[in-house]
Amino acid sequence: MKLIRNGAFVEDDFITVGDGDQLPDGAAIVSLERWQAERETLRARNASIGVRLQSGQEPGAIADDLDRIDLVALEFPVYRNGRAYSYARLLRERYGFKGEVRAVGNVLRDQFQFMIRCGFDALEVTDNITPEIWAENAGSFSLFYQPSADGKETVLSLRQRLAARARENATA
């Protein structure tokens, strides 16, 4: 798998470990179950830690620990399950999470831009995704009607700003 972080293909610093596996010396991603069972030990480590949430595991389960978590990996089990979009927005907007929000699992190229708009800043993609495919799909739309976690101006706010400028020019 390849990792795209903030629009660039990068090496993954994190290793995903199973519940029974030994933790590496460096950055690791663990399941919610392991986080809950070994919270104090994991928090005491001198390495970055991430928690992977499956589709039915809401971010509220780790909300009180987000100041100690560097990465939250949200799973897309199948293309028609979009709970992770809502979870990414909750992490950014309700819980104020500043760490990495990573899309994992069935990450499809026609969803790249929507994932970014919801608050994902890293996407785990299949090996056939190239920088050209990324660029083509991540920037397919330049204007949006819906507000989102990416802070981009909506069509409505753009119209209001332009109308206000036109009124200022008309009275000047």
Side-chain angles (χ1 to χ4, degrees):
M1 291 286 204
K2 293 180 182 178
L3 183 66
I4 302 170
R5 183 181 294 134
N6 297 319
F9 285 77
V10 297
E11 290 295 319
D12 192 353
D13 307 337
F14 284 82
I15 297 172
T16 300
V17 294
D19 289 344
D21 297 342
Q22 184 175 351
L23 290 169
D25 291 333
I29 299 173
V30 298
S31 69
L32 173 62
E33 294 79 14
R34 186 163 187 176
W35 173 259
Q36 291 171 331
E38 301 175 28
R39 177 183 285 119
E40 295 309 316
T41 303
L42 294 168
R43 288 170 76 164
R45 291 180 77 232
N46 192 22
S48 297
I49 192 74
V51 176
R52 182 177 179 137
L53 299 179
Q54 294 177 4
S55 178
Q57 298 173 323
E58 296 188 21
I62 57 171
D64 293 337
D65 296 319
L66 288 174
D67 61 330
R68 300 288 184 102
I69 295 172
D70 300 291
L71 175 152
V72 177
L74 299 174
E75 187 175 329
F76 286 86
V78 293
Y79 76 91
R80 64 186 181 276
N81 186 327
R83 290 183 205 173
Y85 288 109
S86 300
Y87 295 166
R89 285 199 69 175
L90 285 171
L91 283 165
R92 295 292 188 209
E93 295 173 1
R94 180 178 295 169
Y95 301 120
F97 184 61
K98 302 291 185 213
E100 180 175 309
V101 178
R102 182 183 292 190
V104 298
N106 195 13
V107 177
L108 303 176
R109 65 195 246 172
D110 61 341
Q111 298 173 339
F112 291 165
Q113 191 167 28
F114 304 114
M115 290 177 176
I116 294 164
R117 296 206 70 230
C118 288
F120 289 96
D121 50 8
L123 312 171
E124 202 174 84
V125 298
T126 58
D127 290 337
N128 65 340
I129 300 297
T130 64
E132 294 78 22
I133 290 172
W134 163 257
E136 177 185 326
N137 289 277
S140 354
F141 299 100
S142 59
L143 297 172
F144 304 96
Y145 286 97
Q146 301 88 1
S148 72
D150 69 0
K152 288 189 178 178
E153 188 173 35
T154 64
V155 170
L156 179 60
S157 64
L158 176 62
R159 286 180 181 162
Q160 291 171 339
R161 187 170 48 82
L162 293 175
R165 186 179 305 154
R167 283 191 300 274
E168 289 173 9
N169 291 339
T171 59

